[in-house]
Amino acid sequence: MKFGTKAIHAGVEPDPTTGAIMTPIYQTSTYVQRSPGDHKGYEYSRSHNPTRTALQNALAELENGQHGLCYASGMAAIDGIIRMLKPGDEVISTNDLYGGSYRIFTKIFQDYGLKFHFTDMSDLNNVESLVNENTRMIWVETPTNPLLNIIDIKGCAEVAKKHNLLLVADNTFATPFLQNPLDLGADIVMHSLTKYMAGHSDVVMGAAIVKDDELHKKLAFIQNACGSVPGPQDCFLVLRGIKTLHVRMERHCENGRAVAQYLKNHPKVEKVMWPGLPDHPSHHIAKEQMRSYGGMISFVLKGDQMDDAIKVLERFKYFTLAESLGGVESLCGHPASMTHASIPSEERQKAGLSDSLIRLSVGIEDIEDLLADLEQAIG
């Protein structure tokens, strides 16, 4: 199947009882057994739920994996993955990382004896230099949040394979429409389904997708034992959202390109971060591993003053100031005080995240209205 067909049909079948074309919402906590242990594959909805099963199967197909697992949030997915490690284990990750990921790594798991290294992954020598006998995992986020850096997944996979490490790729910004990390050598691909996959700002959920059966068993055991699972109503909403993923992403990419080019030529804008621009430092990698460049854009105004950035954010009309991203509506944010506030200021500055940086999640509205909004807000 081509991607658009897969988005609509992957993992779902008409309801065998009624013929309903949409997956039913199995709003139940438990299931009748004919005799102890004699059931139809479902015992308790923390372990399995038919609506969740359909979504997990759909996600596995979209990412060219074998198994999908859904969690109550993107952070719960990260939690479930990191729980495979043991005290003393070490993880190498990028220094330009979503604030929530940085927080759970350094404020939760570091207290349980794990060690995390954050480095500039644009140079794979930096990754290689941090590998030691305790290293167990490489954690990649690409495009990164919020600096839109591109990390070479295939290159990281070669390092991981050489040292027998797990490679995890956060594919939230790109979605399987733009790239498939498992095809590039990753062992686990994770998503905050809250964002582009659901696409309508009405659900919170996370996911992990794998090819390996043993890896799936480990993650499924943790998922069931810890119980961080989504409800069937939310699973239904994500299944619904996925059916339009390809058409939404096409428009996000189209609008993203127009906004990036507009900002690039604006006299008051100092820097634009979007991997589709030819002068992006990793444009060549993005061109190789991505099918297009998405709708996430960050920029800095000339003068790099936080007060100026705040004024622009307050003046927006269609770019709504709010947490999150990836919905049909355009959003704007101030990472230093919102999504990345949990990262110490000195660490943000070291990674290149200035206090005046503005992040845009370009929606699917008419581009003329979005450009007019940028014009009146920036001035």
Side-chain angles (χ1 to χ4, degrees), residues 142-199:
T142 182
T144 60
N145 182 4
L147 297 178
L148 281 301
N149 289 316
I150 301 297
I151 296 170
D152 184 352
I153 300 174
K154 191 178 291 185
C156 286
E158 291 172 359
V159 175
K161 186 175 182 180
K162 176 182 175 182
H163 297 282
N164 195 29
L165 310 175
L166 283 175
L167 175 61
V168 184
D170 183 339
N171 204 28
T172 299
F173 269 28
T175 81
F177 180 80
L178 297 182
Q179 69 186 12
N180 296 110
L182 295 180
D183 292 347
L184 298 170
D187 298 291
I188 304 173
V189 57
M190 65 82 48
H191 288 273
S192 171
L193 299 177
T194 309
K195 314 304 194 296
Y196 284 109
M197 297 294 279

Side-chain angles (χ1 to χ4, degrees), residues 298-358:
S298 292
F299 69 98
V300 177
L301 297 169
K302 286 185 177 176
D304 198 13
Q305 295 297 311
M306 190 164 108
D307 288 347
D308 292 338
I310 297 300
K311 288 175 183 176
V312 169
L313 290 164
E314 290 174 345
R315 285 197 293 259
F316 274 128
K317 181 179 178 182
Y318 297 126
F319 284 92
T320 305
L321 181 60
E323 296 273 0
S324 200
L325 59 103
V328 292
E329 66 288 313
S330 293
L331 298 177
C332 61
H334 182 241
S337 64
M338 296 169 71
T339 55
H340 291 67
S342 58
I343 300 177
S345 178
E346 61 272 19
E347 294 298 323
R348 293 198 306 267
Q349 299 291 337
K350 195 186 303 181
L353 201 176
S354 70
D355 286 345
S356 64
L357 182 138
I358 294 172

Side-chain angles (χ1 to χ4, degrees), residues 66-87:
Q66 293 296 321
H67 309 281
L69 301 106
C70 288
Y71 300 84
S73 68
M75 293 311 305
I78 295 172
D79 178 75
I81 293 168
I82 299 296
R83 281 178 186 271
M84 291 193 297
L85 303 178
K86 297 176 181 178

Side-chain angles (χ1 to χ4, degrees), residues 162-316:
K162 176 182 175 182
H163 297 282
N164 195 29
L165 310 175
L166 283 175
L167 175 61
V168 184
D170 183 339
N171 204 28
T172 299
F173 269 28
T175 81
F177 180 80
L178 297 182
Q179 69 186 12
N180 296 110
L182 295 180
D183 292 347
L184 298 170
D187 298 291
I188 304 173
V189 57
M190 65 82 48
H191 288 273
S192 171
L193 299 177
T194 309
K195 314 304 194 296
Y196 284 109
M197 297 294 279
H200 294 78
S201 303
D202 56 7
V203 64
V204 173
M205 196 186 301
I209 301 97
V210 301
K211 286 184 176 180
D212 183 75
D213 293 343
E214 287 303 312
L215 195 52
H216 172 250
K217 287 180 182 178
K218 290 179 182 178
L219 288 169
F221 176 83
I222 294 169
Q223 179 199 47
N224 181 53
C226 297
S228 185
V229 295
Q233 174 73 35
D234 286 348
C235 290
F236 175 87
L237 290 173
V238 177
L239 276 168
R240 181 205 62 181
I242 284 174
K243 290 181 184 295
T244 60
L245 176 64
H246 56 302
V247 290
R248 288 187 286 106
M249 289 304 296
E250 287 171 357
R251 185 62 171 263
H252 284 302
C253 292
E254 178 186 330
N255 283 355
R257 179 177 294 280
V259 167
Q261 290 174 340
Y262 172 84
L263 291 171
K264 184 74 177 172
N265 295 320
H266 199 289
K268 289 190 176 182
V269 174
E270 178 68 33
K271 185 178 182 181
V272 182
M273 287 148 268
W274 186 66
L277 292 171
D279 62 354
H280 186 284
S282 299
H283 174 70
H284 62 292
I285 299 173
K287 192 174 182 179
E288 183 176 325
Q289 74 183 20
M290 299 176 72
R291 299 179 188 96
S292 189
Y293 307 106
M296 296 302 302
I297 299 169
S298 292
F299 69 98
V300 177
L301 297 169
K302 286 185 177 176
D304 198 13
Q305 295 297 311
M306 190 164 108
D307 288 347
D308 292 338
I310 297 300
K311 288 175 183 176
V312 169
L313 290 164
E314 290 174 345
R315 285 197 293 259
F316 274 128

